[in-house]
Structure formats: structure tokens, C-alpha cells
Amino acid sequence: MSLQDRREHMERCTRCSQCKWVPIPASKQFSSICPSIEYGSFHAYSGGGKNITAYAMLENKASYSGDLVRSVYACTMCGACDTMCKFLQGENVDLLSNLYELRARIASDGQAPKVYDDLRKQLREEGTFLGKRHERSRWAQGLSIKDITQRPADVFLHVGCNNAYDASRWRELTFIVSLLDKAGIDFGIAFDAEVNSGGVAFDLGFQEDARQLAEQTLALFRASKARTIVTCSADSYATFRNIYPRLGLSIEADILHVTQFVSSLVKEGRLKIDARSSETLTYHDACRLGRLSEPFEPWNGSRIKVLEQLSVQDPPQRVRFGVGGHYEVPRDLLAQIRGAEIVEMERNREYSYCCGAGGAASKAYPEFAQMAAASRLDEAVAAGATTLVTASSTCTSHLATVAEQRNMPLKVKGLFELLADLTGEMSS
Amino acid sequence: MTLLSTEVFNELCTILGAAYVNRDDNFLASHDWVGIGGSSATKTLLGNPPGAIVLPSSTEEVAAVVKTCVKHGIKFKAHSTGYGNLAGVGTAGSVCIDLRRMNRLQIDAANQMAILEPYVTAGQLLAEARKVGLFCHVIGAGPVHSPLASATSFCGVGLPGNFTSNNARNLLSLEWVTPMGEIVRIGSAGSGEDWFTGEGPGPGFRGILRGVLGSLGGLGVFTKIGYKLHPWSGPQKMELTGRNPLLGMRLPPNFKFHQVAWDSWEAMSAATFEFNAANIVTVMTRVPPDCIGLMLTQTNREYYDSFKSGQLPPVARSDAGYGWSMLLTAYSDEEIKYKEEVFDAIVHRTGGREVPTTQEEQELLALTLTTSIHVGRSGRRGMGGGTSMGVLDSFALLPKVAKLTEELMEDPLAKGWMINAHPDQNWMWPSEGRHFWTENAPNCDRTDLEATAGNMEYTLASFNKADQRGGDVGISAFLIGDAADLYGPGLGHVNDWMRKTKNAFDPQNLSDSKAYIQPEMTTVAKVWPLAKKFLFRPAFKSVLHNAMKRLVT
């Protein structure tokens, strides 16, 4: 796939601007769905604007500049514009695919923000952009966990970079480990052999780096012979389901997010949530656990004209409308907390507003990432929540930091962090 | 490369701050893109970019920008939400005044009005209005459009218009930056009062500035308006049903959706007068069956497969008959019961029938009737196309207009220039239960040169037919751009009035007139009275077609 291959899709943008908004806003304040246009204001920052930039590059009507790069990269690749574009345009534009190729072109031309050079170097050398390879499993020190690279296990517990390197998330990891132990699950982790799954490299346009990381990850999975991969990382969950198929790669084992796995254990009676709270909780749908985790299905076809003038995909292509994400299971887990009131933010599920944490945008444009988080936190407060809960450690870390900076009357918790707080432990 | 000089660029930066002025190539390209149906181009980047884009945050800043343009003789055009083919500037090198930062909104619930700026979207206004039991008009462009732009500068008809009127009539007092950069308040705000009326106390020339159609950017910049809101008996917060993209709205017990059809346009027209007299229908809109099919399906492929296999639901089939989608609303059980009884009686008496619909279809169509949210899906078909004359007139003309345009579509349909679904692509949007708007708007693939030219030909032929018939198919309401001079003489010489207004307020012709009227008649317009006598004859068909091809290339 190349930018040129996306030309026909790009041409079908009607410039309707629906990519900037939720379909039916519940308020003026929270009507936007695109942090990038909120930050940059010029149309070029919107999904449709980026699409035009891509097309203008193909037509030699746009040249590289700081403005061009900022308008493309001050963006988390959250996929909201794509979901909203498809709301009206169905298969016509497939905006997210255009944006991936736009970034790939910019990266291959060596024009991506320079700050990502270091990130890329670190990814290559350390297998992560958040620390050193030998520091990856510090969180597991003192825990008795099987090394799945040495001994087989039924379940490969994939940790994810942010979980592994952000010490504020370690409590969640240790709690998850205790749950799996209590449920009697035969599981293991890859300790320092795990590497970044490649999603961030793909998002930034470094598709070959992404492929190499993906192949390393898949080699680990294959070598483990585990039948089930359970990932604690929302970022990786989206990468496995949405990015790997774009790279022509597939995972032979079952892939589950840890919320799904724990929820199934609860349903099977192998775990019991015994938690009580008087808090008002709201759940933040992380983009990469939500709309971006909807599986991508490779398609090899063409457009044909029918009814004289109607262009359709032949054969039919499965279109990702954002509804195939992972929305209800985390809410089901929250709903089991007795006494807690659960309220929804105005923008939820496939219409969730990105908090600014994803796609490493905060590395290059921290003020953009903070703006997005502030909007999301304000929305939680407006919903009446006292605690915002999310199931993505990347979102949790970012939102908690910004909430603290803004001295907000709102706690930010990871889902398993909250359960750990409320239960101390879950009974088996 | 931008056509704007560094001197002017720096002056604009001084006014607004460098962060709010941009002349980067790719930013300019995003205001050079044409992408929605009815546009007269087969390409997307027109090669007509602005020289700079500016983002003012206040009326004073807009005025300063305009004065700078006047000082240097540079054209300018206001830009609100920038929907489709109205996104660009008419002349390369113009200053695009993007009003995105002007989005303040105040609801005056007691007086059923809002005071708003250009970048308040209809979706935002609807959300805030509903909270206080009010509703706003939404044009076909849907919730992303700017009510201010529609109310001041374009036609402003829309799906819920039966109870929300059209935007020419929803406009109250307004604030205007003239093409010379003066700030003028018109209507009550002009005398230092609130924003409740457009015709005084204070200067009252709202009609001159907008008329039926508005000036589409050709008469300066409108920066703030008073805007009518309408009583709403629905919930304060709309409860959505379904999932992306097939959203609907939960119909409360006091809301009833009906899809009603008759066997002929004549029967539908007659029944419409009865419904209007009874005053029981809140929203009454006709979406062509093919477009209902697009709304009820997620992709073109799904639509086509359903069409081909005969699986489209009755409401989306071309044999669905001639009728309306209707929404009855009420404040009480008794009121809705009364309306339903009257409704049944009228349908029965006029030979109508209910087209069966599922609950999901009702919810989706009710959301469309009230918010226009799914209307954009009609553009999914190809983004190119034509439209008929766009009649704004009496319901009595409905049969004549519909049949006339369907006749005009026969030839282009036979040539494969329009989506070969059905010649009935008639959208009909009543206004206040009296006049209605209709246009028969087929689609084509915009990348198909022959088809795009053929659709332009259809549009022109439609205008011509209306002109020939001397008004017996109503007031043709698409007299914008070059069409004003071609067909204005047959409609009270409206083009002369438009030109007088334009030249009086904009003597340097700097406010972009591409979609309004040129200060002088073009050569084409001058020879048109003679040319039109020949161009529409069969012997000249290829001449007209080739001319249209040149126009859209």
C-alpha cells in the first residue's frame, strides 16, 4: 500500500466537516470529536484537512514545512475522524487508511518530527521507547511468575510498554497477576524478552520498524505455544487487531484484552468481585481499546460502477465503523462494584474523545496532548463523576498527570487499580 | 505558492497575531477543495487557493482584516464551517476569513431566540436549545452547518422547516462587517437594543442584504445574529438508538412517525393542503426513496446489493408511491391522540396509505427529519450530480414541477449520466406549512466527465424550462452566481437589484462574488437571450454538452 494507492479514496472526501464532530452533540462544550482541529484550528488539522494535505502532496501542491508536519503529527491517530467520516460516507474515503499512508510518506521522506528520531532509535535498540530493555520486568521483581520463554503456559500474559515502565501502573499489574493466580490460570510472561508490539512505530509512519517489532512479538508468541494471548495493554490490543493485519501479519492464538479475560473468569465463577464504593464513576473509552481495536480485514479488490454511476467495492469490503471495539466488558466489570454510581460522559464508546495520550503525539506536542486531556477531564466532571476510570494505562498515566497539574476535583484510576483499591484482593 | 505579498501577510499578522494567519501551501489547499454534489468540477483541487487564511476572534478583528484587504485591493471571503463546494474562494490569492474562533452562543429561552456567531454549528445550537424546550431549524447540510451562514447568506430551507420555517425568516437582528470594513448592526441591535428583530427599531435593510437566497459571501462578513428558536415538545436530551452509522432517536410516547404515500403527485398535493389546514403535523418532508435507501444502509455496496436483490425495505423502494415522511409531536397524551385521529381521517379521506416501516427505520428517519444528520449520505452516491431549478412555491405546483423535471431527466438517464435508480429524486421540504421547496437532484460520479457535464446540462435545461414557462412552475430559487444574470430577467429582474446592491456596498468588488453576482454582466450573460433560443434545441445538444464539459473540467 502507498499514498498513491489511496488517491481514489482521498478524492471522495466531500469536505462536509463531519470528521470534526460527534453526530448528535449533547452540548456545545463537548461537541467536538477531534482534538487535533481543536488544537490547531485551521482546517488542515482535521481528518478531512489531512486528507487534502495528502492529496495535495500527490499533486505536488504541498511542500514540506513546519506547519505541514505539525498539522499531521499533532494528532493521536485516535480514529475518531475515520469513524465519523464513515458515518456519512461509508466505504468511500476510509480516512484512517489514508492517514496511515500519509504518515508513512512523510516518515520515508525523513520529514517526521525530529523528536521521533530518538524514539525510533530507542525502539530499535531497547525494544521500547520508554526505558532500557533490562528494566522492562522490574515490576515483576519478587513475584513468582513463570517465564514463558523458558517454560510453556496456557496463557501468554503480554504486559505492554507503558505498564512495564511506568511505576505508577505496577500496582495494577501485580493485582492482575494475583487474580490470575487466584483463578488458577497457568500463565507466564516474557520478562525482558518482550518488545514493543509496533503500534506506535506504525502510527508515526515507520512501517518497517513496526513490522520488525511485530515479527519479534509474533516469534515470542509462537515460541511460547500458548493458546491464548492476554494483553494488559490497550495499545497492543489495537495493534494486534488493527495494525498487524495491515502489515499482512496474523496471530495464531486467541487474543484477549485483560478485561475480557478477567470478566470471563468472573462469569465462570472462578473469580468474584467483592467491591463497594460510594464514588460516582465514569468510564473513559480509550481509543485503542475502543474504535481502534475493531479488527481490520485485508481486502484485495477494486471499485466497479453499477447502476451506471454508483461506485462500489468489489468484492464487498468489511468497513470498520468503530462499533467492533471493546466497550461493554469494562463497563460490566465496573457495574459489579456495589454502591457506586456509574455515569456516562457525553462522548462515549465509538464517539469517545481522545485524551491525547496515544500515538506518542505528546512527545512532539505536549501542549496538544494536555489540551485534549483537559477537555476529557472537564467532560468527566460535567458528567458528575468523582473518579474517571479507564482500562488503558497510557490514558490513565496521562489523564492522572494532567488532572494533578490542573488540581482537579477528580481522581483518575486504572480499572484494576480501582478494583485493587476497593477489594484489596478479589476472592476466588 | 501563495499569491499574497509579504507586506499584506505581515499586516494581517499584526492584526491577529502570527498564530492566526497562515499561507502554508497545504493549509491553502484545504480551502481549495471542492467535494460535494452539485459542484461543477470533476477535480477536487481547483487550483484556486486563497493567498492566506486568517482566524479572527472578534468582529473588530474581522473589520480590521477587511480594511486591510480594501487598502491593498485584495479580495476576501468569509468561511464558516465550510461545507462542501462553498469552502473555497472565488479568486486565487483572496484572503479566506475563517470564522472558526467566533463561536459564542447565548440562548434567550424566554424570548425563544439565540444570539450566535458564525462558528456555532446547528448541532451545538440544537443541543443547547433542547435543554430549554426549544428547537432550531436545520438545513439539509446537517448539524455541522452554520445557522448564521445559512440565515444571512444562503437559501436556508431544510427538513424540519414545516415547524422551523426557513432561515430567511429565522434571521432576526444582525451584525455585519461591510465590504468596506465598517461594522453595522441591523434591526433592533442597531439601535442599541437586544437582537429580537431584523427590521428595527434601527436600520432595517435585511431584505436587501439577503433576499431569498443571500449573497453567499458577496457582501462582506456577517459576524453575529439574533436567530429564532421554536418550541419543542420532545425530551431535553435526545436519546439515541442504534449504533454507528445507523443512529436513530428514541421516539417518546407523544411522538409518532408515519410514512404516507398516495398514488399520484396530484393526490399527494391535494392531501398536503388538508394536512396544512389541520395543522397537526410537526415535520413533513419528502426524501426520495433512493436516498432513504442510502440512509438505511451503511455502504454503497450494501445499498446496491439490497437494491439488486429487491431487499430494500418498502420505504426505500421506487414504487413506494408519492408521499411524505411525517412526524407528529405533542405535549400531552390527549394532544397526540387528537392528532393521530385527524391524521388517520385525512389519510383515509385522501386515498393515502401507510408505507410499512420497522421501529428501527422509524427511529432513524425521525432523527433525520429533526436533525438532517443522515442527509449527507445522499452524497455517498458519487458527490457529483445536478439539480433542478429549486422551486420555492405553492404545494399546488408539486405535480407539475415533479413531472417536468422527471421528463428532463429521461435523456441523461438514458445516456447513463445519472445513477440509474429512478427519475424521482425529488426532495421536498415545506416551510411553515405553506410554501414548499423542491428540487429533483440526481447524482453521478464526479470523476466521470461526460456524466458531470450531462448533469450540468440537466440543471441548465431545468432552469431554462422554468424560464420558458413564465413562472407557472414557481419561483426558481437557485439564481446564484452566473445563473442570476441568465434567468433573473424572467423573475422580476432580480439580477438588476442584486447588482445594484452589490455595487452600492462593494464598489471595489472585493467581497468574493463568485457565487453572488458580478459587478458587470459577463459576455455569456449578454449573449444568453439569443443563445438560449438555440442551445436547447436538439440540433445543438452536442454544442451545449461540450460547453458544459469545458465548464466542469
Side-chain angles (χ1 to χ4, degrees), chain A residues 12-16 28 31 38 41 53 65 67 87-88 91-92 305 307 309 313-314 321 350-351, chain B residues 22 24 26 30 33 35 82 84 100 103 124 128 243-244 299-301 377 380 383 416 420 445 448:
Chain A
R12 291 177 186 276
C13 167
T14 65
R15 207 195 190 282
C16 69
K28 177 173 180 286
S31 54
E38 290 295 298
S41 288
T53 294
S65 67
D67 280 337
F87 181 87
L88 287 181
E91 72 272 56
N92 279 358
K305 259 193 191 176
L307 297 173
Q309 289 290 320
Q313 312 277 61
D314 187 48
F321 287 101
E350 62 265 35
Y351 307 127
Chain B
N22 196 291
D24 189 85
N26 85 298
S30 72
W33 183 270
R100 180 180 164 84
N103 65 348
Q124 293 174 331
E128 298 303 327
R243 292 297 292 269
N244 194 57
T299 64
N300 282 343
R301 181 70 203 216
R377 266 175 218 171
R380 201 176 78 201
M383 289 123 61
N420 190 14
D445 186 335
D448 183 329

Side-chain angles (χ1 to χ4, degrees), chain B residues 13 121 137 153 166 200 254 265 275 325 343 435 441 452 526:
Chain B
C13 289
T121 68
H137 183 59
S153 305
N166 65 66
N254 55 334
W265 292 119
F275 278 113
S325 300
F343 172 87
H435 286 62
T452 303
K526 285 175 184 168

